[in-house]
Amino acid sequence: MILEAKEDDEIKEMIVLKSGGRNDRDGISRFPGGDFNDGGKALLLPPSNFAMVDNGIYRSGFPGTMNIGFLETLNLRSVVYLCPEPYPDDMAAYMNSVGIRIFQFGIDGSKRPLVTIPNGSIMGALRVLLDIRNHPVLVHCKRGKHRTGSLIGCFRKLQNWCLTAVFEEYVRFAGTKARISDLSFIESFDVSCMTECVLGIIYRYHGGCGSQARRLSYGDLS
């Protein structure tokens, strides 16, 4: 089921709500698209460019059915999908079967010079990352390089990383395909716009978004 989220301040979000509970965890993938070894155990093959960003936040290239065994070890609640194309049926079926929500923010992956990253899409995706109710969450685009790298770069600015470190991380994943336009977007992204988001204020207040920061749960607010 695909629901059009509200448009507010040029933030355009497509949210795919996946219902259903998780299967019992016994180390065996129950999804027919998963790969298995001779012992019946799911093979733990991570998606391309996979890495941990922070506690409860991961990044990668597009996961496929061969990665399902590995994804199950992450106990994901959500996926932030940064491509405009519909999610593949086989992986959408898997996400649905285990109750993972897919938040889609369609960003054009073209490298044409006049194509820019929508600021509203990045802000919307950051809101998902800042909300601990969505954790653990996986961020991905097609190859986990440009769109994912741009989003994570903006997230690092929220964590008060210096630009040199932010750019080094971007290049580490993008390699020789690094784009000046992405780096310029990251540099110009104004993190102060996120202070208007209550979630961002909470996240920054408790340790500046660092890996050792305490996440304030919504239960703490009541």
Side-chain angles (χ1 to χ4, degrees), residues 76-149:
L76 295 175
R77 288 184 182 177
S78 310
V79 164
V80 172
Y81 174 47
L82 300 176
C83 301
E85 296 80 15
Y87 217 72
D89 291 340
D90 51 359
M91 287 304 293
Y94 165 69
M95 301 292 182
N96 181 59
S97 72
V98 295
I100 297 174
R101 297 167 61 189
I102 303 176
F103 295 87
Q104 182 174 5
F105 301 89
I107 299 175
D108 192 335
S110 173
K111 58 184 178 181
R112 298 192 305 272
L114 296 181
V115 175
T116 58
I117 299 174
N119 194 68
S121 295
I122 294 296
M123 290 178 61
L126 285 173
R127 286 186 173 92
V128 176
L129 297 186
L130 294 175
D131 189 343
I132 63 170
R133 296 174 297 181
N134 299 318
H135 294 185
V137 56
L138 174 67
V139 179
H140 79 83
C141 52
K142 186 174 182 181
R143 296 184 177 87
K145 296 181 178 181
H146 305 111
R147 286 166 283 195
T148 298

Side-chain angles (χ1 to χ4, degrees), residues 32-33 50-51 89 91 100 110 115 130 161 195 203 205 209 216-217:
F50 176 83
D89 291 340
M91 287 304 293
I100 297 174
S110 173
V115 175
L130 294 175
W161 280 33
T195 61
Y203 204 81
Y205 179 78
C209 308
L216 180 65
S217 67

Side-chain angles (χ1 to χ4, degrees), residues 52-55 156 159 161 203 207-215:
M52 182 177 183
V53 177
D54 203 342
N55 292 335
R156 295 306 192 193
Q159 292 183 303
W161 280 33
Y203 204 81
C209 308
S211 59
Q212 302 301 318
R214 172 180 174 269
R215 271 27 171 224

